[in-house]
C-alpha cells in the first residue's frame, strides 16, 4: 500500500526565494474544467494538505490569446472555499509576447483584479519569440516588487544564457534577481533542465527549478490523445512519448506506484527541483500525487536509475535553448 503524505513538505524556491510546498497547483485548463462546488472543495483540501501555492495566469496574450476564464474561476473558488489571502500563495505571470506595449504594471493590475486580490507572492515572466531588452525587463520587474505587486520572480522557458544575464544585471544594479526557472521537465524531457547550462545556474547562482508539464498533458498517465489544449512539443517527440507509455507502466508496477506518482517523484529526486506543478481537478488525484512525495523520499535514486533509458529528447533538443513555441533542435 502506497504511503500518503499528511502535508506537503516545503523547499526554498531558490536563494532569496520563499519556502514553497513540493507540490503546487497550476491553472492552465484546470479551474475551467471543474464544477464550482468541486473547485472550492479541491482548494480547501489542497490548503489543508499544505499544497497552498497556486500558479494562476491571465491567458490572453500571444499564442495564448484565448480569453480563458480559469483565473477568474480560481478567484471565485477561493471565495467559495472561504480562504483568507494569508491562507495561500499566489504565483502570477507576466507575459513578454506584447511587451512593452502591454506594460507589466497594466498586466498586474488586470491579472490581480480578475482573481480578486491586491497582490501576488511571486510571478513568472513568460517566454518570448523575439529577445526583448532584458535590462528593461529586469528593471520593470523590480519596479513591480518595489510597489508591492509581488516579492519574488522567476522565468518561464528562457535560455540559461538569458537567465544568467538577468541574474548578473540585477546584482550589478541592486535589483531583485530571479530566484527560479519554470521549465518543462519530465522523465522523458530532460535536455534543458538537466543540461550543463542550467545546471550551472542551479549550483552556481542558487536558482531553483520549478518543474512543469511533468505528465505531458496527461499522456504519461495513459491519456494518449488529450482533447484539451496542452503544452508545446519541443523537438517533435510526442509520438515517441506515446510509444514508451507501456514501458512507463511496467516500471510503475515495479514500484507499486501510479504513473503520476512516478513522474512527480522522478522530478523531485533532482536536488535542483524546488517543486512540481500539477493540474489536478479531483481530490483523489491530489491525494495520489501527494503519495509521490513518500515514493521520492524512499526510492528516489532507485527510480531515477530505472527510468534512465527513457530520456527521449537527448541529442534532439539543445540544452542551451529556450523552450518557447519551438525550441532549437540539433542537426
Amino acid at each position: 500500500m502506497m504511503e500518503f503524505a499528511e502535508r506537503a513538505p516545503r523547499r526554498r524556491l531558490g536563494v532569496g526565494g520563499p519556502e514553497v510546498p513540493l507540490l503546487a497547483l497550476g491553472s492552465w485548463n484546470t479551474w475551467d474544467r471543474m464544477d464550482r462546488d468541486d473547485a472550492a472543495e479541491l482548494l480547501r483540501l489542497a490548503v489543508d494538505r499544505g499544497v497552498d501555492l497556486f500558479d494562476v495566469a491571465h491567458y490572453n496574450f500571444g499564442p495564448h490569446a484565448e480569453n480563458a476564464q480559469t483565473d477568474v474561476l480560481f478567484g471565485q473558488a477561493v471565495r467559495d472555499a472561504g480562504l483568507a489571502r494569508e491562507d495561500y500563495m499566489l504565483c502570477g505571470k507576466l507575459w513578454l509576447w506584447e511587451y512593452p506595449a502591454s506594460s507589466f504594471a497594466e498586466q498586474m493590475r488586470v491579472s490581480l483584479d480578475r482573481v480578486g486580490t491586491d497582490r501576488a507572492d511571486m510571478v513568472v515572466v513568460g517566454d518570448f519569440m523575439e529577445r526583448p531588452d532584458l535590462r528593461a525587463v529586469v528593471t520593470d520587474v523590480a519596479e513591480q516588487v518595489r510597489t508591492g505587486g509581488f516579492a519574488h520572480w522567476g522565468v518561464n522557458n528562457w535560455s540559461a544564457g538569458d537567465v544568467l544575464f538577468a541574474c548578473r544585471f540585477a546584482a550589478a544594479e541592486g535589483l531583485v534577481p530571479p530566484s527560479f526557472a519554470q521549465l518543462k521537465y519530465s522523465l522523458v524531457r530532460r535536455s534543458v533542465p538537466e543540461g550543463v547550462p542550467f545546471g550551472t545556474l542551479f549550483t552556481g547562482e542558487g536558482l531553483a527549478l520549478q518543474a512543469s508539464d511533468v505528465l505531458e498533458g496527461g499522456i504519461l498517465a495513459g491519456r494518449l490523445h488529450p482533447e484539451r489544449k496542452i503544452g508545446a512539443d519541443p523537438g517533435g517527440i510526442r509520438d515517441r512519448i506515446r510509444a514508451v507509455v507501456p514501458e512507463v507502466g511496467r516500471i510503475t508496477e515495479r514500484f507499486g506506484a501510479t504513473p503520476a506518482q512516478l513522474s512527480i517523484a522522478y522530478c523531485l529526486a533532482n536536488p535542483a527541483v524546488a517543486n512540481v506543478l500539477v493540474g489536478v481537478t479531483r481530490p483523489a488525484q491530489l491525494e495520489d500525487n501527494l503519495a509521490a512525495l513518500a515514493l521520492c523520499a524512499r526510492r528516489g535514486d532507485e527510480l531515477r536509475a530505472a527510468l534512465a533509458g527513457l530520456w527521449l529528447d537527448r541529442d534532439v533538443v539543445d540544452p542551451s535553448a529556450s523552450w518557447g513555441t519551438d525550441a532549437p533542435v540539433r542537426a
Side-chain angles (χ1 to χ4, degrees), residues 228-251:
R228 65 183 178 88
K229 183 178 180 180
I230 63 175
D233 180 18
I237 63 170
R238 193 153 283 157
D239 285 341
R240 293 176 60 194
I241 294 173
R242 293 187 179 98
V244 302
V245 167
E247 177 62 16
V248 173
R250 287 189 286 270
I251 297 172

Side-chain angles (χ1 to χ4, degrees), residues 138-211:
V138 175
T139 301
D140 288 351
V141 168
E143 177 62 15
Q144 294 307 302
V145 173
R146 188 191 67 80
T147 57
F150 50 86
H152 312 281
W153 66 289
V155 300
N156 175 246
N157 298 334
W158 291 22
S159 72
D162 286 341
V163 180
L164 179 60
F165 179 91
C167 290
R168 296 287 171 82
F169 176 75
E173 298 296 318
L175 305 175
V176 176
S179 66
F180 66 101
Q182 185 184 103
L183 300 174
K184 287 177 178 286
Y185 184 36
S186 70
L187 55 89
V188 293
R189 292 191 187 273
R190 311 178 193 174
S191 291
V192 172
E194 294 188 8
V196 171
F198 264 105
T200 301
L201 288 172
F202 298 143
T203 57
E205 298 294 324
L207 208 74
L209 170 57
Q210 184 176 77

Side-chain angles (χ1 to χ4, degrees), residues 43-323:
L43 275 176
R44 283 190 292 264
L45 175 64
V47 170
D48 184 58
R49 294 291 193 272
V51 183
D52 56 4
L53 172 59
F54 302 97
D55 181 281
V56 178
H58 176 204
Y59 292 102
N60 202 30
F61 293 88
H64 303 309
E66 53 207 37
N67 195 28
Q69 297 297 300
T70 194
D71 52 336
V72 175
L73 295 172
F74 168 79
Q76 180 183 74
V78 167
R79 293 185 289 276
D80 289 348
L83 298 179
R85 183 60 185 85
E86 58 269 21
D87 292 335
Y88 68 94
M89 303 176 73
L90 176 64
C91 180
K93 275 192 169 66
L94 292 173
W95 299 104
L96 291 170
W97 304 109
E98 299 171 17
Y99 173 86
S102 178
S103 72
F104 289 163
E106 178 63 10
Q107 288 189 45
M108 285 303 300
R109 185 193 68 77
V110 172
S111 181
L112 294 176
D113 183 64
R114 287 170 63 88
V115 173
T117 186
D118 62 349
R119 61 180 173 84
D121 295 279
M122 64 200 78
V123 300
V124 175
V125 181
D127 27 354
F128 47 83
M129 297 293 287
E130 296 182 6
R131 190 174 187 267
D133 181 346
L134 294 181
R135 294 178 179 84
V137 169
V138 175
T139 301
D140 288 351
V141 168
E143 177 62 15
Q144 294 307 302
V145 173
R146 188 191 67 80
T147 57
F150 50 86
H152 312 281
W153 66 289
V155 300
N156 175 246
N157 298 334
W158 291 22
S159 72
D162 286 341
V163 180
L164 179 60
F165 179 91
C167 290
R168 296 287 171 82
F169 176 75
E173 298 296 318
L175 305 175
V176 176
S179 66
F180 66 101
Q182 185 184 103
L183 300 174
K184 287 177 178 286
Y185 184 36
S186 70
L187 55 89
V188 293
R189 292 191 187 273
R190 311 178 193 174
S191 291
V192 172
E194 294 188 8
V196 171
F198 264 105
T200 301
L201 288 172
F202 298 143
T203 57
E205 298 294 324
L207 208 74
L209 170 57
Q210 184 176 77
S212 69
D213 286 354
V214 299
L215 288 174
E216 193 72 16
I219 293 173
L220 288 172
R223 296 185 291 276
L224 299 186
H225 298 280
E227 294 180 359
R228 65 183 178 88
K229 183 178 180 180
I230 63 175
D233 180 18
I237 63 170
R238 193 153 283 157
D239 285 341
R240 293 176 60 194
I241 294 173
R242 293 187 179 98
V244 302
V245 167
E247 177 62 16
V248 173
R250 287 189 286 270
I251 297 172
T252 293
E253 291 178 1
R254 283 171 46 192
F255 284 90
T258 66
Q261 291 164 3
L262 199 74
S263 300
I264 293 167
Y266 175 87
C267 294
L268 287 174
N270 180 342
V273 173
N275 64 359
V276 170
L277 294 177
V278 295
V280 301
T281 57
R282 301 191 307 275
Q285 289 178 314
L286 178 61
E287 297 286 12
D288 178 84
N289 288 183
L290 281 166
L293 309 185
L295 174 64
C296 177
R298 290 185 294 105
R299 305 181 71 181
D301 291 342
E302 182 185 352
L303 70 85
R304 282 182 68 90
L307 293 163
L310 295 183
W311 181 354
L312 297 185
D313 67 346
R314 188 172 190 170
D315 299 324
V316 174
V317 172
D318 184 345
S320 65
S322 62
W323 282 20

